[in-house]
Amino acid sequence: MNDIRLNRRFVETDDEEEACRLLFNAYYETVFNTVNRMLRDHSDPAVDADDIVSETFTKAFNKRKDIQEPEKLLEWLITSAKNLMIDKMRRFRTRTRRLPSETVGSDVDLESEASFASTLTETDTEYAEANRYRVAQLLRLLQEKDREIVVFIRDGLSQKEIAERIDATPGAVEKRWKRLKIWVVPVMLHLEALIDCLPEENDRKIMERYLDGQSLSEIAKAIGISRSDVEGTVKRVVADWKKAARDNPTDPVFALVKKERR
């Protein structure tokens, strides 16, 4: 349960020691138990619940002055922990899982695409819940036709079946997917880091809210800017992410940071 009064105190206090104590005492056990439950059957010793929780709480502390909805702090902590765990578990899974060769494009790194596929098709209940959230974030970045294709791929449809659904040829579906995955795969695998490295605070706030499913109007009202400004920011950031992913598929964050430094 969220302690709203404590959450607001955590966000507002200038006493860093008190902020750490408040957050740890209130939510450590809940977040740790959630992570530990999801890792129960995970055999990779490199993925450690304590490390994930520590990183999650450090991130919350560093971002506490930017938190817009302190009443949802516990949900924010759990979502962040799940996303961190997905990233760590994905690195383990790509060492043991590969896609069938017919679905792998020569222009995309094999391990990255295997990671992407595992995220789309994961069936473990707890892990799948976190993955569904990540996939939902990704879908917010896509145009309608591209969104349809990713959803159909997630649902396990063949190129022929997808073509029938969207009134296209299998060749057209394959071509569109090849173009799409060049940037979709790297962006999805580095989404958290791409948000974190946005240089403008408002850009980060807008993209975090947008990827959480808030409408453009809701974001505009919460941040105090026009709806058109919010829409423009989303389009600009997505375009920058696409270019960064195409320039450097293995590390789009580096490409984005390099661009900002010019």
Side-chain angles (χ1 to χ4, degrees), residues 144-176:
E144 183 177 356
K145 186 71 73 174
D146 294 337
R147 191 181 303 123
E148 285 182 332
I149 290 176
V150 171
V151 169
F152 289 143
I153 289 172
R154 179 196 62 190
D155 293 343
L157 273 65
S158 67
Q159 288 180 357
K160 182 179 179 181
E161 290 171 323
I162 296 173
E164 291 172 353
R165 297 286 186 93
I166 66 173
D167 192 24
T169 66
V173 171
E174 181 180 11
K175 187 175 181 180
R176 191 179 189 95

Side-chain angles (χ1 to χ4, degrees), residues 28-56:
Y28 179 85
E29 184 175 355
T30 300
V31 177
F32 178 84
N33 288 341
T34 299
V35 171
N36 199 44
R37 201 163 53 243
M38 294 175 71
L39 288 174
R40 189 176 297 144
D41 299 320
H42 191 56
S43 60
D44 186 357
V47 182
D48 180 77
D50 283 314
D51 289 343
I52 291 171
V53 175
S54 177
E55 288 183 46
T56 299

Side-chain angles (χ1 to χ4, degrees), residues 203-218:
D203 289 358
R204 293 193 297 273
K205 291 179 180 178
I206 287 170
M207 294 309 297
E208 285 173 349
R209 288 175 176 273
Y210 182 74
L211 292 170
D212 279 341
Q214 293 187 23
S215 69
L216 299 178
S217 297
E218 289 173 327

Side-chain angles (χ1 to χ4, degrees), residues 117-132:
S118 71
T119 300
L120 291 179
T121 61
E122 183 59 50
T123 56
D124 176 75
T125 303
E126 288 276 9
Y127 192 70
E129 180 184 351
N131 274 339
R132 279 195 294 271

